[in-house]
Amino acid sequence: MLMMPPKKQWEKSKNLYKNLLSEKDYKNLEESKPINKRFFFNDFYEHNKQGELKKTSFDERFNSDTFFGERINVQAIVGKNGSGKSTLMELIYIAINNFACIFTHLMPRSNFFSLGLYLNLYFNIDSIEYKMKCEETSISLGLRTPVVSNYRPDVLDVINFVEVSGSQAQNIADKFFYTIVSNYAILSFVPSNYRSNCKELCRLHGPLLNNKWLANDSSESWIQRIFHKNDGYTCPIVLNPMRNEGAIDVEKEMQLSKYRILALLIYAKVHNLSFDDRYKLNRVELFFRGDFATEKFNEWEKFKRITDPQEMLGIVDGWLGSDPTSISNIIINHFHLNITKKSIPIKKIALVYLQGKILSLPKYHLYETFRDGGIEDLKLKDIDDVDRTNFKALLDTMSSDSSHVVTKIHQVINFLSIEDENKKIFRDRDLNDPINYFDLYLEEIRNTIKKKKDEWNNFTRDKDGNYFLMPFIHAKPWDGDFVDEERDFSLDEIIECLPPSILEYDIYLYDEMEKKEVLYNRMSSGELQLLQTISTHLYHVRNIMSVNGSRLQYKNINMIFDELELCFHPEYQRIFVKKLVDILKNMKLTDTHSFNIFLITHSPFVLSDLPPERILYLKDGSMDTNVKISTFAGNIGEMFYDSFFLESTIGAFAEEKIKRLIDIRNGLNPNTKSPFTGDEKKEFEKERMEILNKVGDPVLKSLLE
């Protein structure tokens, strides 16, 4: 990365660059001349003795293509607090955010374009080197050309990147990478800390206005909109966890964590994979979420607010009445569901949830043509006023969508497909009775698919023999003995088989070390943090991989773990890289996608897994090229001192005590630094012996003696 703001521009935007730039960087530099401050994340480039940018040869580079595995690269940034690690990454986030505003034309609404950014970001995809150039209000893309005027193979500067425009630039944009960021530090990503001069770009609609934008001044935080993922993974960056004005909804994050980790644990269990060496999925119990059901129902502003799930049943019976054109009956007929007034209460409640999810689809870009009078969320309309023709067309489009946008809809359709007469799950069971997921729910989903396979195939096959609609969207086609072969579900199929959100999960793991069952919610904060961090990234990866249709389909994924070691015991820090790499391989995610992993850390336990060519050391806002240590399989104690710029190898309080001991040994009063007088020596000698007896390092103690 190359930072290049002229001094005058830097003075206006110091809040963006923080401690990465200072007055000393501009010393002896003309005010209008841009600074060229570089940061190398790998060994593709270096500065030669003359300070020129030198491109290393392939023979000089560390070959990471096979080191971590096919399509996986791991690298790190380390340094003291305040050295600029997070700021450096934030500049990249701004660059990606601004890039999305200009090049990602399918976003339902633009992000806030942040002004004051001057940098070049260089990236390599499929062995081709690209450049993103950010200068105040402009973003341009370029690629390296092997033949240019005045070409010297040993010295290559930024001028060797040829900027492209029009369709060429859009082709590069379509190959861009998706960035998933996690930072669980409580004071990180607080929007009020990122307010800056911004432009909000608004797309203009109408004749001759396609792809034209109006830029409105804004003083909002550019960071706020990249927490949201209601854009169908169009904008190429997401920050985790979600924050509202800096606040993390911990309860919601816990619920999301359970949903994400459950799918991964089930996949590992049915495929006999090792997701975690210590904990294995033992069982899952399901419970009805009455409060959630009423909350979702009450989002429909036109209806009477309710306080109990039983109150909605009468309203649902009205929807299920004799009127075949009601929204509920249209859904039931479209998906061949067997739901009537006589159906059990939990299925009626599930129908309410399904209806609300479908009516909300127009807020996504793929479904924006189904908005009614400019209303994005159709469930905010009176149910009788929803245009039936428009709604049926919405269902047709939804039926051919297999992306993450409709995953929860598929889950509830699968749930509703189970027969009312199923005694294992529904009959003779109170709403609050637990349901065992493996023995009952998953088994009945499989049986339902097997029983209805031929029936569903008949109504989901078009005149050309293609499949266009099926509740279990990923298991197609079904005339290939899907169930008869008893094959294991794929990860996507498992996610489609998860119970709908009106059911709560209790996940029980088996602790191989302690030989006992453990409830997921009761695990230690460090264990939960490890599972939460990994599952969050994998959840987004799965969603990105599921994108289809006209939306951007990212094949290159950049995973950034900032403040990685938060809540992690040193052993978890030590195993993190291997665990993540193993999961990417075991889940077969690298078969189709490439992964670059950034670790922003203070932990030498992490560095011991990385070659030095993949580590950027920061000190006082600049690259530190004086660190010469072989990190891979290196001594962790030495790395604490050499790689993290420690000024001492013992605690500061202990260091002060030892200095007092030395003063006393040298006949000085440690408080005044003057020679002892009177009985002072005897008094301080007692203190010296007390300190000496407490020193734990035997070598240091011997030297002091």
Side-chain angles (χ1 to χ4, degrees):
M1 190 178 86
L2 171 70
M3 290 196 304
M4 50 183 192
K7 184 175 182 181
K8 187 180 290 186
Q9 300 300 330
W10 165 70
E11 288 174 340
K12 292 180 182 179
S13 307
K14 288 183 180 180
N15 60 313
L16 295 182
Y17 302 94
K18 299 177 184 174
N19 52 351
L20 290 179
L21 290 176
S22 64
E23 289 286 351
K24 68 178 183 179
D25 290 307
Y26 289 93
K27 190 177 181 180
N28 302 322
L29 193 66
E30 296 177 24
E31 194 168 82
S32 60
K33 188 174 181 181
I35 191 173
N36 288 321
K37 191 168 186 179
R38 296 187 175 94
F39 297 89
F40 302 139
F41 298 121
N42 50 49
D43 58 345
F44 281 28
Y45 295 90
E46 64 183 10
H47 287 126
N48 63 17
K49 293 180 180 179
Q50 290 72 41
E52 296 173 306
L53 183 66
K54 177 180 180 293
K55 188 173 188 292
T56 57
S57 68
F58 286 101
D59 292 337
E60 294 176 290
R61 296 179 191 174
F62 164 71
N63 181 13
S64 63
D65 292 345
T66 56
F67 192 78
F68 294 105
E70 281 298 317
R71 297 174 179 257
I72 299 175
N73 179 56
V74 187
Q75 50 198 103
I77 304 177
V78 299
K80 283 183 179 181
N81 286 333
S83 61
K85 301 186 302 300
S86 293
T87 303
L88 192 64
M89 301 312 293
E90 286 166 11
L91 291 176
I92 295 178
Y93 307 156
I94 299 174
I96 296 173
N97 171 78
N98 287 359
F99 161 87
C101 289
I102 302 298
F103 287 97
T104 312
H105 57 282
L106 292 177
M107 285 196 298
R109 65 173 180 174
S110 176
N111 293 356
F112 292 114
F113 189 101
S114 181
L115 303 177
L117 187 65
Y118 288 80
L119 66 79
N120 287 346
L121 180 64
Y122 300 87
F123 55 98
N124 184 306
I125 296 177
D126 296 331
S127 300
I128 300 176
E129 294 177 48
Y130 299 97
K131 176 186 72 173
M132 181 203 301
K133 185 177 183 180
C134 308
E135 284 190 321
E136 185 63 8
T137 60
S138 69
I139 298 278
S140 61
L141 294 172
L143 70 162
R144 179 176 293 287
T145 57
V147 180
V148 294
S149 59
N150 302 320
Y151 175 72
R152 287 174 55 194
D154 58 329
V155 179
L156 295 177
D157 210 336
V158 291
I159 59 172
N160 295 108
F161 279 85
V162 175
E163 291 186 11
V164 296
S165 59
S167 60
Q168 279 187 294
Q170 194 59 53
N171 287 338
I172 296 175
D174 291 344
K175 296 178 182 177
F176 201 65
F177 53 89
Y178 196 98
T179 296
I180 306 168
V181 184
S182 63
N183 186 331
Y184 287 87
I186 195 68
L187 295 180
S188 294
F189 297 157
V190 180
S192 59
N193 293 340
Y194 297 89
R195 288 201 169 92
S196 59
N197 294 324
C198 293
K199 295 279 186 184
E200 183 174 20
L201 305 183
C202 303
R203 184 186 296 158
L204 301 177
H205 295 281
L208 306 178
L209 291 178
N210 250 0
N211 292 325
K212 292 194 175 180
W213 300 78
L214 177 67
N216 298 317
D217 289 337
S218 174
S219 59
E220 293 294 326
S221 167
W222 59 267
I223 205 170
Q224 186 62 51
R225 285 190 179 172
I226 57 178
F227 286 114
H228 297 273
K229 285 323 318 151
N230 283 343
D231 65 352
Y233 289 85
T234 304
C235 174
I237 184 170
V238 61
L239 305 183
N240 300 283
M242 172 67 189
R243 287 169 165 88
N244 283 309
E245 291 302 320
I248 301 173
D249 187 336
V250 178
E251 188 66 35
K252 185 175 182 180
E253 286 299 314
M254 189 66 184
Q255 291 293 337
L256 289 173
S257 167
K258 289 170 65 177
Y259 167 80
R260 294 163 181 170
I261 199 66
L262 179 56
L264 295 168
L265 288 171
I266 292 171
Y267 182 81
K269 182 179 179 72
V270 299
H271 288 270
N272 198 28
L273 299 173
S274 176
F275 182 80
D276 186 275
D277 293 335
R278 178 172 176 180
Y279 295 103
K280 302 291 186 291
L281 181 60
N282 199 38
R283 62 189 175 95
V284 181
E285 288 190 343
L286 312 178
F287 300 87
F288 175 63
R289 296 174 67 188
D291 291 344
F292 177 82
T294 55
E295 174 192 332
K296 288 299 177 184
F297 187 86
N298 287 331
E299 289 178 357
W300 297 30
E301 296 179 352
K302 299 292 182 182
F303 293 105
K304 181 183 75 172
R305 296 186 66 80
I306 63 172
T307 57
D308 187 276
Q310 295 295 332
E311 295 181 52
M312 76 173 75
L313 296 179
I315 297 174
V316 177
D317 285 343
W319 295 344
L320 296 172
S322 57
D323 181 8
T325 66
S326 72
I327 292 297
S328 297
N329 282 324
I330 291 173
I331 292 173
I332 290 170
N333 292 330
H334 188 84
F335 292 106
H336 292 234
L337 301 172
N338 183 23
I339 303 176
T340 66
K341 285 184 178 181
K342 296 180 180 179
S343 292
I344 55 178
I346 193 170
K347 296 191 82 170
K348 293 182 183 179
I349 293 171
L351 179 64
V352 175
Y353 176 69
L354 172 63
Q355 189 165 300
K357 293 297 290 184
I358 295 174
L359 287 168
S360 297
L361 284 175
K363 67 185 178 183
Y364 295 98
H365 170 72
L366 179 63
Y367 300 93
E368 64 181 355
T369 56
F370 301 105
R371 294 171 186 172
D372 193 344
I375 297 176
E376 294 185 1
D377 193 341
L378 298 184
K379 73 172 182 287
L380 300 182
K381 293 175 64 72
D382 190 302
I383 195 69
D384 295 325
D385 293 337
V386 174
D387 185 291
R388 290 341 192 225
T389 302
N390 182 60
F391 185 73
K392 289 178 180 178
L394 169 63
L395 288 179
D396 288 338
T397 299
M398 190 209 85
S399 298
S400 61
D401 184 4
S402 59
S403 74
H404 69 281
V405 173
V406 292
T407 293
K408 291 185 177 180
I409 292 175
H410 293 163
Q411 290 170 350
V412 72
I413 290 173
N414 278 331
F415 175 76
L416 290 171
S417 297
I418 300 174
E419 299 292 345
D420 281 7
E421 290 72 22
N422 187 300
K423 292 185 178 181
K424 288 184 178 180
I425 294 184
F426 298 130
R427 289 300 177 201
D428 306 321
R429 184 183 294 275
D430 186 85
L431 267 182
N432 296 316
D433 288 344
I435 300 171
N436 185 291
Y437 176 80
F438 278 105
D439 295 341
L440 300 181
Y441 192 90
L442 190 60
E443 178 186 340
E444 290 312 311
I445 287 285
R446 185 183 282 276
N447 289 340
T448 299
I449 294 171
K450 186 173 183 177
K451 181 179 178 181
K452 295 193 172 186
K453 182 178 68 172
D454 292 335
E455 174 192 343
W456 283 344
N457 278 349
N458 287 335
F459 76 77
T460 60
R461 197 193 313 263
D462 64 20
K463 57 183 176 59
D464 297 320
N466 298 317
Y467 292 84
F468 63 92
L469 164 69
M470 50 190 57
F472 197 79
I473 199 76
H474 287 291
K476 57 184 180 183
W478 283 336
D479 54 353
D481 291 334
F482 163 66
V483 179
D484 296 340
E485 294 176 3
E486 294 296 325
R487 70 168 175 81
D488 289 324
F489 284 5
S490 69
L491 180 59
D492 279 348
E493 289 164 352
I494 285 170
I495 291 173
E496 300 273 322
C497 274
L498 290 180
S501 298
I502 61 168
L503 295 175
E504 170 70 278
Y505 317 139
D506 268 353
I507 303 173
Y508 292 88
L509 305 175
Y510 186 75
D511 186 340
E512 298 279 5
M513 183 180 296
E514 298 291 334
K515 304 299 180 185
K516 65 178 182 180
E517 189 177 67
V518 180
L519 180 63
Y520 177 77
N521 301 51
R522 302 286 175 83
M523 298 175 74
S524 73
S525 60
E527 292 168 323
L528 288 174
Q529 186 70 51
L530 179 67
L531 295 174
Q532 163 83 352
T533 301
I534 292 178
S535 65
T536 295
H537 280 255
L538 295 183
Y539 167 80
H540 286 302
V541 168
R542 181 262 168 187
N543 286 347
I544 292 165
M545 295 173 74
S546 77
V547 167
N548 56 20
S550 60
R551 286 171 292 162
L552 287 171
Q553 298 176 14
Y554 295 96
K555 296 296 184 182
N556 303 285
I557 299 175
N558 189 32
M559 305 168 76
I560 299 177
F561 300 86
D562 201 351
E563 303 287 357
L564 171 64
E565 61 275 5
L566 283 180
C567 293
F568 286 177
H569 181 276
E571 178 63 11
Y572 274 12
Q573 298 170 35
R574 190 185 71 83
I575 66 174
F576 183 85
V577 171
K578 183 178 186 301
K579 179 174 285 292
L580 181 59
V581 168
D582 285 348
I583 289 174
L584 292 177
K585 294 176 183 176
N586 289 341
M587 299 292 185
K588 301 189 183 303
L589 302 177
T590 55
D591 288 355
T592 56
H593 287 64
S594 299
F595 296 88
N596 185 69
I597 300 166
F598 256 121
L599 309 174
I600 321 301
T601 182
H602 301 105
S603 172
F605 301 97
V606 174
L607 289 197
S608 185
D609 275 338
L610 304 185
E613 294 86 354
R614 289 295 179 268
I615 301 172
L616 168 63
Y617 298 96
L618 289 183
K619 187 175 184 180
D620 300 328
S622 299
M623 286 194 306
D624 190 322
T625 57
N626 295 320
V627 179
K628 305 294 183 185
I629 184 170
S630 297
T631 50
F632 183 72
N635 183 286
I636 288 175
E638 289 180 11
M639 282 190 282
F640 252 128
Y641 190 74
D642 294 331
S643 300
F644 293 91
F645 313 106
L646 293 178
E647 296 176 4
S648 178
T649 57
I650 61 174
F653 182 79
E655 186 176 33
E656 181 183 11
K657 285 288 189 182
I658 288 174
K659 286 178 179 178
R660 288 179 65 85
L661 181 153
I662 293 171
D663 282 341
I664 296 168
R665 179 65 180 82
N666 290 334
L668 299 176
N669 182 320
N671 299 325
T672 63
K673 304 297 182 183
S674 57
F676 288 134
T677 60
D679 295 330
E680 280 185 341
K681 182 175 181 180
K682 184 177 180 181
E683 178 185 341
F684 282 109
E685 183 63 23
K686 182 180 178 183
E687 178 186 347
R688 184 180 78 87
M689 292 305 299
E690 286 178 348
I691 297 172
L692 186 61
N693 289 334
K694 297 295 182 186
V695 175
D697 186 329
V699 176
L700 177 59
K701 185 173 184 178
S702 176
L703 290 170
L704 290 170
E705 286 175 337

